[in-house]
Amino acid sequence: MDHAEIEILKSMQRSAADRAEVLSRAVRQNMRHGEFDMVTIAMQEVASAAWGVAGGLAEPAELLTAAEKALDLLDTQTHCMMERVMLRETIDQATMECHDAIPDDAFVTGPECLAAHMADLETESDI
């Protein structure tokens, strides 16, 4: 990877809005060349989902799905290496954001769940 590509990845990591802007720039770059229509279309869906996440209008899972779909589509192309790198970075970031969105107490063991349920029943019977 050259210096410019490293800088692109660094800017994607700064914030959700920066990531969306970088993905939008990739769409604009590919729009300049008719032979890259497939790349443009794939990246446009990811950029749109990234803006939704940045604006709080979409969940990271939507971005993750769009990026995975786009990467599958671009894996058949021979000329879009940087876009693939950007999509892999987006997938990594969105996966982390999806995990961060799960509350720590979301996964409760069976005995803990049963104890909480029994406590709720006792509270209801006291009323």
Side-chain angles (χ1 to χ4, degrees), residues 55-82:
L57 302 173
E59 294 297 319
E62 294 174 50
L63 175 59
L64 179 59
T65 301
E68 289 172 337
K69 182 180 167 186
L71 187 58
D72 285 344
L73 183 66
L74 296 185
D75 274 344
T76 63
Q77 303 297 307
T78 59
H79 50 67
C80 51
M81 293 306 292
M82 188 58 206

Side-chain angles (χ1 to χ4, degrees), residues 1 9 33 38 49 54-55 57 63 66 75 77 79-80 82 88 92 100 102 109 113 116:
M1 234 187 286
L9 292 179
H33 308 284
M38 180 187 258
L57 302 173
L63 175 59
D75 274 344
Q77 303 297 307
H79 50 67
C80 51
M82 188 58 206
R88 287 187 185 97
D92 291 346
D100 291 346
I102 299 172
T109 64
C113 186

Side-chain angles (χ1 to χ4, degrees), residues 32-113:
R32 295 181 182 151
H33 308 284
E35 66 270 17
F36 297 147
D37 284 345
M38 180 187 258
V39 179
T40 301
I41 291 167
M43 296 300 290
Q44 190 168 12
E45 291 184 30
V46 178
S48 177
W51 280 115
V53 171
L57 302 173
E59 294 297 319
E62 294 174 50
L63 175 59
L64 179 59
T65 301
E68 289 172 337
K69 182 180 167 186
L71 187 58
D72 285 344
L73 183 66
L74 296 185
D75 274 344
T76 63
Q77 303 297 307
T78 59
H79 50 67
C80 51
M81 293 306 292
M82 188 58 206
E83 287 84 355
R84 285 190 216 153
V85 171
M86 291 166 56
L87 289 170
R88 287 187 185 97
E89 177 65 27
T90 300
I91 289 169
D92 291 346
Q93 290 175 354
T95 300
M96 286 190 296
E97 290 171 19
C98 286
H99 289 293
D100 291 346
I102 299 172
D104 292 334
D105 62 352
F107 301 105
V108 183
T109 64
E112 289 175 340
C113 186

Side-chain angles (χ1 to χ4, degrees), residues 15-30:
S15 71
D18 286 334
R19 175 179 57 208
E21 179 58 38
V22 168
L23 292 166
S24 294
R25 272 189 263 145
V27 171
R28 288 190 298 272
Q29 279 293 113
N30 285 294

